[in-house]
Amino acid sequence: MSRTRRFPTSARRGSAYMIVLATGLVVATLGLGALLAVRSQYRAWRTLTDAAEARQNALSAIELGRLWISQDPNWRSNRGSGVWASNQPMASGTFTLEATDPLDGDLTNRPHDPVVLKAIGVKGHSRHIVQVTLTASPEPLPALRCAAHTGGQLHVKAGKLLIAAGSVYSTNAGLRNDGTIRASVEAAYAQSIGVVTDTLTLGVPPKAFPDSGVPEMYARLGTTIAPGNTIDKMVLSPGKNPWGALNNDGVYVIRANSDLTIKNSRIHGTLVVICPGRKVTVDNNVLIHPYRADYPALIIDGNAVFQHDSSTKLSEVATATNFNPVGAPFEGSEDADTADEYPSEVRGLVHVTGTVQLMNTAMIRGCLLCSPANTTDALVCDGTNEIVYNSALYANPPQGYTSAVKMLVQPGTWRQLVE
């Protein structure tokens, strides 16, 4: 006979309770896990969102810096090197922007130096750092298209000859040609036309000159020398200075209270002569040429007379002087002898704030700017003189001789930085 075993009702109820409790625990655990997963996903999403916004803040700060530069022609002096903005609000984060000059740390001393913009964007705990280099894209002064340009009268004396190879003579005032100009001429008006072998254009609008502060800008870049009132049988270059310390860019400054004569010498650099109301005479045989292609050869804040003889050479034999000693090579060559010869001419950009006289057979190979306005005999030809125009001065204008300087992003310089 079989016997059926029966469990108490209370035991069956306890088992059911345990099953329900276990199921509830599983469901609660799953719910808590899902909640934790959602919170983790939210934190990850928030981190990504903050990082993206921090990056956007940094990029926006760079663009803001570029806007400030484009809107302010004097941004270098008004802002200079250093922090331009610190922890400035942007969207729901902040940014910091700083600017540096990678060449010498000074954004104010030269208008063509590059600038490195570095921006830090912040959102929450996220930081993004980015930097880029901007380089100068200068717009040259229209006067640099001319062999010579003056603000006052252009005067060629009777029986004299003024030649321009490959360019034009220009004046913002009147032309008084009592001789011959073998070139084109642009002038506001003509007092006497004489012989102009090429095109004569009258009623030409005035052309601008560089800012009046340019001579002192270069003076600040230079090394002051005191040669007295005559430079004779001397060599001046980045590696050679008979009067003191060297200047790596070959910029030397003379502040004169009397007239100055430069003769039988070679100057490889930029000579700045500050002598208002005084006269600088370039005489005999000379070779003056810039060391840096983006600097002028000669700046005279005063009057100038160019009467050097370009029909003969600057001779080491005749002067018993070595013009390419060690430290002052000419076209890559330096030696210890006195057997060489050099062209007798001024090469590059010549800028004179006062009047200019061209005499004898003086030649300039580059461009001459003579800036006095409405002055009789501002630029006078009293010889057989030639200016051989160099178009590179317009294509790549020297610093300070521009109508504007745009700052453009240098390709390949975007960088993300890590602290």
Side-chain angles (χ1 to χ4, degrees), residues 30-261:
L30 292 174
L32 180 59
L35 180 60
L36 292 175
V38 169
R39 292 182 63 183
S40 177
Q41 290 173 352
Y42 174 76
R43 284 195 299 269
W45 171 82
R46 185 61 179 269
T47 299
L48 290 175
T49 300
D50 286 355
E53 188 168 334
R55 178 178 182 274
Q56 189 58 48
N57 287 350
L59 294 174
S60 297
I62 294 289
E63 293 307 312
L64 183 59
R66 294 181 63 191
L67 178 64
W68 288 341
I69 289 173
S70 67
Q71 291 179 336
D72 183 6
N74 300 313
W75 65 270
R76 290 180 182 270
S77 57
N78 289 341
R79 295 187 179 275
S81 303
V83 176
W84 287 6
S86 179
N87 297 321
Q88 294 296 304
M90 177 174 284
S92 55
T94 63
F95 74 88
T96 296
L97 178 66
E98 62 181 273
T100 57
D101 183 334
L103 297 184
D104 58 14
D106 186 357
L107 283 172
T108 64
N109 60 351
R110 284 188 297 250
H112 294 186
D113 279 4
V115 57
V116 175
L117 295 180
K118 175 184 173 183
I120 303 174
V122 178
K123 173 63 188 302
H125 295 292
S126 296
R127 290 166 58 88
H128 190 90
I129 307 174
V130 65
Q131 76 173 31
V132 68
T133 300
L134 308 182
T135 55
S137 177
E139 298 178 3
L141 289 172
L144 293 181
R145 286 188 181 274
C146 306
H149 176 62
T150 178
Q153 183 191 71
L154 171 60
H155 182 192
V156 179
K157 291 190 174 182
K160 306 304 179 181
L161 174 63
L162 184 60
I163 305 168
S167 188
V168 60
Y169 285 103
S170 172
T171 171
N172 288 345
L175 168 66
R176 180 183 174 186
N177 182 21
D178 299 324
T180 300
I181 300 177
R182 195 181 298 166
S184 294
V185 178
E186 296 178 352
Y189 58 92
Q191 295 166 278
S192 58
I193 294 176
V195 177
V196 177
T197 61
D198 294 332
T199 303
L200 171 61
T201 306
L202 300 179
V204 177
K207 301 177 181 68
F209 284 93
D211 185 88
S212 60
V214 166
E216 284 295 342
M217 181 193 83
Y218 278 97
R220 289 191 294 271
L221 295 170
T223 298
T224 300
I225 60 175
N229 58 13
T230 303
I231 297 176
D232 185 18
K233 300 177 183 178
M234 291 294 180
V235 178
L236 186 62
S237 74
K240 192 77 172 177
N241 178 11
W243 300 284
L246 299 176
N247 184 282
N248 290 335
D249 291 323
V251 183
Y252 295 98
V253 184
I254 301 172
R255 296 187 182 274
N257 295 319
S258 60
D259 294 345
L260 172 71
T261 297

Side-chain angles (χ1 to χ4, degrees), residues 299-319:
I299 300 175
I300 299 173
D301 187 9
N303 304 313
V305 176
F306 295 94
Q307 60 184 31
H308 54 285
D309 184 2
S310 293
S311 66
T312 61
K313 301 285 188 180
L314 173 63
S315 169
E316 291 182 343
V317 173
T319 58

